[in-house]
């Protein structure tokens, strides 16, 4: 029987799959070691007020600075980290790095704004984020108002007790919660309000479609007014042109973010942006 089973298994486990698995395992081990060696790097992308262009926060976006392969974008390792659970220690390291950066900027006398951290659903499920945030904040002498957490819609739709309890624990620390990539999942605004979310980041797909599709523009406008009625802030992601920005300004979108305003930049450049504080050229200011 054992032999038969072995034979059967062989059918499902072909040599190319084995190579693939081995490669995945190698990558995973490499990433695990890389985190320990300090190979994670954070870039920062500002979020600004829609009317004045004043920086309201900086989003931390992780990269893996691999010794041979160079700067690796998150799409190439975050999904693997999420599938394997490595996202939990990785996310912990990101929170630590963010707090250290905030402490450094404060020390340098910069006009500090909150840093916004991306947190995966798996981290919420693990239930450790609130405790890590609390200890990293206290350890660096930072106010909880200096960190914001972004979670994708999918992390909020599972209304099971465990995840909700952790979200509430995060809010109890004083850290603000934003729903990331809003419009890509299935959550409704009422549910987000029940979870007491502070704001929504509307997905780049909506921002880019708004000018081409009247239906998307109408939807965007409806989301903004409903969010405001529910006392949530609205941030538009992926603003790439002056025309898009102008359209968002007409809709009274609270904040905007995107390549048009600034790409994500390394910490040294982010410092320059913080010093500038207002990022719109004259022509983009709302009169
Ligand atoms: P996200 O949180 O939705 O971040 C926005 C992504 O869109 C970033 O890509 C950003 O560089 C990019 N982006 C910003 N403005 C524009 C624009 O105007 N046009 C276009 N085409 N793209 C724009 P990035 O840095 O590659 O990050 C991708 C995703 O990886 C993030 O999406 C987030 O879900 C995830 N991620 C990044 N850092 C972390 C982290 O520390 N922890 C976790 N769990 N996930 C992270
Ligand atoms: Mg984000
Ligand atoms: Mg997003
Ligand atoms: Mg995203």
């Amino acid at each position: 029987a054992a032999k038969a089973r072995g034979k059967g298994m062989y059918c499902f486990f072909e040599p190319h799959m084995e190579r693939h698995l081995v490669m995945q395992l190698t990558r995973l081990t490499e990433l695990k070691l890389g985190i320990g060696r300090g190979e994670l790097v954070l870039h920062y992308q500002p979020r600004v007020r829609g009317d004045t262009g004043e920086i309201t926060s900086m989003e931390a976006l992780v990269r893996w600075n691999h010794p041979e392969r160079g700067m690796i974008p998150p799409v190439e390792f975050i999904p693997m980290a999420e599938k394997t659970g490595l996202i939990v220690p990785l996310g912990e390291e990101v929170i630590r790095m963010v707090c250290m950066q905030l402490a450094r900027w404060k020390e340098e006398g910069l006009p500090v704004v909150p840093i916004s951290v991306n947190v995966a659903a798996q981290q919420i499920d693990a239930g450790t984020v609130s405790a890590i945030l609390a200890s990293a904040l206290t350890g660096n002498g930072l106010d909880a108002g200096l960190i914001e957490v972004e979670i994708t819609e999918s992390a909020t739709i599972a209304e099971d007790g465990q995840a909700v309890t952790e979200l509430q624990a995060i809010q109890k620390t004083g850290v603000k919660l934003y729903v990331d990539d809003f419009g890509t999942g299935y959550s409704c605004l009422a549910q987000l309000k029940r979870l007491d979310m502070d704001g929504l980041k509307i997905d780049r797909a909506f921002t880019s479609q708004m000018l081409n599709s009247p239906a998307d523009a109408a939807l965007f406008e409806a989301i903004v007014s409903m969010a405001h009625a529910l006392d949530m802030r609205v941030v538009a992601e992926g603003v790439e042109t002056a025309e898009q920005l102008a359209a968002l300004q007409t809709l009274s979108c609270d904040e905007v973010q995107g390549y048009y305003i600034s790409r994500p930049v390394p910490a040294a450049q982010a410092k320059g942006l913080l010093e500038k504080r207002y990022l719109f050229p004259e022509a983009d200011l709302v009169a």
Side-chain angles (χ1 to χ4, degrees), residues 98-270:
V98 160
C99 288
M100 276 163 48
Q101 186 61 70
L102 280 166
R104 208 168 305 137
W105 279 338
K106 267 181 69 177
E107 220 177 84
E108 290 170 354
L110 284 166
V112 177
V113 296
I115 294 184
S116 175
V117 185
N118 290 285
V119 167
Q122 292 84 349
Q123 294 173 259
I124 301 295
D125 291 340
T128 51
V129 175
S130 53
I132 291 158
L133 278 170
S135 82
L137 284 164
T138 335
N140 287 282
L142 300 168
D143 194 275
L146 285 176
I147 295 209
E148 295 168 351
V149 160
E150 296 182 14
I151 40 172
T152 50
E153 259 192 288
S154 59
T156 64
I157 56 173
E159 270 198 88
D160 66 279
Q162 197 78 22
V164 174
T165 305
E166 178 59 14
L167 289 176
Q168 286 166 344
I170 294 173
Q171 284 165 321
K172 268 201 210 105
T173 65
V175 167
K176 289 199 164 60
L177 282 181
Y178 280 78
V179 181
D180 204 351
D181 306 330
F182 183 78
T184 59
Y186 303 95
S187 55
C188 63
L189 284 172
Q191 185 181 2
L192 298 179
K193 186 57 202 173
R194 266 202 306 283
L195 291 170
D196 202 24
M197 293 285 159
D198 294 283
L200 311 172
K201 296 186 75 177
I202 302 183
D203 195 66
R204 171 154 55 93
F206 276 98
T207 309
S208 62
Q209 271 309 305
M210 206 176 37
L211 293 176
N212 312 330
S213 148
D216 278 357
L219 201 51
F220 204 109
E221 190 170 3
I223 294 172
V224 173
S225 51
M226 280 194 285
H228 283 166
L230 295 168
D231 201 23
M232 286 190 276
R233 286 182 78 73
V234 183
V235 186
E237 292 191 285
V239 180
E240 293 183 342
T241 67
E243 291 71 32
Q244 287 171 352
L245 176 58
L248 293 163
Q249 288 174 330
T250 334
L251 297 182
S252 322
C253 185
D254 303 294
E255 297 174 41
V256 293
Q257 188 179 31
Y259 291 174
Y260 178 70
I261 297 119
S262 168
R263 287 189 173 253
V265 295
Q269 265 170 273

Side-chain angles (χ1 to χ4, degrees), residues 49-85:
R49 280 180 60 123
D51 50 358
T52 62
E54 181 181 17
I55 301 179
T56 51
S57 83
M58 287 283 194
E59 179 175 5
L61 294 157
V62 74
R63 279 92 181 86
W64 177 13
N65 191 9
H66 190 280
E68 283 121 38
R69 287 187 284 143
M71 212 58 99
I72 304 177
V75 279
E76 287 180 39
F77 63 93
I78 292 287
M80 171 180 76
E82 288 178 348
K83 260 180 268 164
T84 56

